[in-house]
Amino acid sequence: MKIFLETMGCQMNRLDSELVVSALRAAGHEMVDDSRQAQVVLFNTCSVRRQAENKVYSRLGAEAQRKAAGKQFFVGVLGCMAQREGADLMKKYPVDLVCAPGQLDALPRLIEQAAAGQAAMKLDPSRKEPRDRAADERLEQLDLGRDPAATPSPVQAYVRVSRGCDKFCSYCVVPFVRGGEISRHPANILDETRRLVDAGRSEITLLGQTVNSYRWRPAGEGAMTTFADLLALLSPIAGLRRLRFVTSHPIDFGDDILHAMRDLPNLCRYIHVPAQSGSDAMLRAMNRKYTRAQYDDLADRARAIVPGVVLAGDFIVGFPGETDADHAASQDLIRRSGYKNSFIFKYSPRPGTAAAKTLKDDVPTHVKRARNADLLAVQAEVSLTHHQSCIGQTVEVLVEGPSPRANKQPHRPAAGEVQLIGRTRGDHIVVFDGPPSLTHQYIDVTITGATALTLFAKKGI
Ligand code: SAH
Ligand code: SF4
Ligand code: F3S
């Protein structure tokens, strides 16, 4: 059948979609870019904020109209929202198929069922029910069985190190929709990474909801594998030029990982380690399990142990009870941490989470909006200072391709050249002139200018 798939949400969902596409193609289906051409329209969804879900509802509304107008096709919801809403999705919209993130291996079969007019729904057990070990093993096989040549980029690939999350931050839906945290066998991660690198994927990004909480214990005797051990295991793979990981939780960031970042030459010195707030009262209410002082200490240790380390963060504004003083503490944390960038979100109560159940969403929308704009402005200042400190340096970039937005630089590129976009090891975006043939190559550039979002450069030293 002709299948259209749209992916929302985080890198985990992007990797899931990649595996799903591989599996669907192997089952004889054809992927199409236009949903109007498709016999099956799939959405891989995110539940992390209300806005993410609204986007899906509006897509489903549009598909419902096409169905009402007599078009014949199937609609499927995959991913986090499928797990959160379950059968309700089928009641509210003409959805034919629902598949939770932990059941994606069943998707080809669910499509056959839907096509045969049968109910097609597979959900994960709730966190109160016992873990489904057989489902865990089937998912593991889905990752292991992936086609290393089927990644969207010919040079970059994601590799999952763990699934789920056990942290239960009070605002967050992820532990409910993605289930309990489970680390993959290090031999499987090594095998998968090796095959990707052998297929030319020289930049590997390790994924986990809290990637640095990775720990694998053998069933019997034998030593535990920590995240730092895993990094040391993967780093020597021949042909692996860059090894990255996202996202980190502050409480599991020991010096062993910082030492790995200092010592392993291909491990990129970039840490996305969300703070969420700079205020102890908010951190406690968010169940983040660290204090402001502990976060500051992590940033200090990172800068002391890993020269040139680049930090990035996430913040939530307008969490229940957040005062002006709490907000000021977040401003202060952004300034103190010197982040390259941070993602700022307005608090959105998620059904089923501790915060939604026990705390009133009492910060008015206009205050959330103002605080959001304010943290963005503070971060823009900090980002500009950080980027300006890079001017004059010669750095390696991996060229991603021509810049989607022309004329970022005030001049026109020379004949045969275009504005290219590349990424440094520290995840900076760099714009420079060069021939399109440099796409997917590693080259050295010298930084000549900076804005809050972008570095400008020229080729060579
Ligand atoms: N596992 C990652 C990412 C979680 S979701 C981590 O722990 O870092 C990505 C970001 O969304 C979070 O860091 C948080 O800043 C934000 N977020 C999560 N739940 C939210 C909610 N209910 N309202 C607003 N922002 C939220
Ligand atoms: Fe959500 Fe917290 Fe887990 Fe991140 S660590 S996924 S914010 S519960
Ligand atoms: Fe969203 Fe699920 Fe990722 S809720 S952020 S797609 S884990």
Side-chain angles (χ1 to χ4, degrees), residues 48-49 171 209 247 274 276 314 316 345-348 350:
V48 82
R49 281 169 292 277
Y171 51 80
Q209 291 303 338
T247 310
Q276 312 298 0
D314 289 0
I316 295 177
F345 304 104
K346 296 192 276 290
Y347 172 64
S348 162
R350 304 314 297 135

Side-chain angles (χ1 to χ4, degrees), residues 126-145:
S126 85
R127 294 206 56 139
K128 292 193 201 97
E129 295 167 278
R131 190 157 195 124
D132 182 350
R133 300 279 163 197
D136 288 342
E137 187 46 40
R138 288 196 302 270
L139 272 191
E140 183 59 28
Q141 292 310 320
L142 191 64
D143 282 74
L144 272 181

